[in-house]
Amino acid sequence: MNGNGMKKRWLSLYVENQDGVLSKISGLFSGKSYNIDSLTVGTTEDPTISRMTIATVSDDETFEQIKKQLNRLVEVIKVIDFTNIFVRMKEIMYIKVKKCTAEDKVECFQIAETFKAKVIDYGKDSLLLEFVQTATKNDAVVKLMKDEFKMIEVVRGGSVGIESISMMER
């Protein structure tokens, strides 16, 4: 990508764990017409602090503006740009395959094995798979499943990430 091109970017934010912080941050994005691809938030080891992982697509200039504006918010403790550093990042995804034939079920088990997924629920004509992968791998799984099966239902949790200890990438 060229220096000013649109590309996928990730931010990790430490924020005060209080009412209204999530809406304030998402409001900052929507007020400037910045799109959020994914946003995940959860409490840290300190119950007064939450950590957010935000994925967006933008150019360099816009992304710098986003970071500056987030840093200005009183409730934001720290902003970390995950875009160009070594990060461990995964998202949880569930895919329910409906109206399965016996052959479909066999194929689901093979897909689960290939993609290190778990079959977590099983019915007469349906299966529920759980994937914990990178967003890119989950994108590939969704494409495959849409091509292979008549009826699927997909729920994705959004990525969470943490700086890597060793130099391994996403």
Side-chain angles (χ1 to χ4, degrees), residues 56-163:
T56 188
V57 173
S58 74
D59 59 48
D60 291 346
E61 191 179 330
T62 303
F63 193 59
E64 287 307 313
Q65 283 297 345
I66 291 170
K67 291 191 291 187
K68 282 181 186 148
Q69 289 168 2
L70 287 168
N71 271 310
R72 282 190 207 122
L73 295 177
V74 174
E75 299 85 355
V76 174
I77 299 160
K78 186 176 184 183
V79 177
I80 306 164
D81 182 351
F82 272 179
T83 306
N84 297 313
I85 62 172
F86 293 107
V87 176
R88 298 288 178 160
M89 197 174 286
K90 298 277 195 243
E91 85 170 357
I92 191 164
M93 176 175 72
Y94 293 105
I95 297 182
K96 187 184 291 179
V97 183
K98 303 173 186 177
K99 298 187 178 175
C100 288
T101 64
E103 297 80 38
D104 287 342
K105 286 181 179 179
V106 169
E107 189 170 354
C108 279
F109 275 93
Q110 289 172 338
I111 289 168
E113 193 176 330
T114 302
F115 288 93
K116 296 182 178 83
K118 294 179 186 158
V119 176
I120 59 166
D121 203 358
Y122 189 95
K124 185 173 172 245
D125 66 349
S126 59
L127 262 124
L128 182 59
L129 301 167
E130 178 185 78
F131 298 82
V132 179
Q133 302 282 359
T134 63
T136 307
K137 282 186 184 164
N138 279 345
D139 289 343
V141 169
V142 170
K143 185 181 182 325
L144 172 71
M145 299 293 274
K146 280 169 73 174
D147 291 345
E148 292 297 318
F149 304 104
K150 291 180 213 77
M151 276 189 76
I152 66 168
E153 181 180 344
V154 177
V155 179
R156 295 174 78 161
S159 295
V160 293
I162 192 165
E163 299 91 327

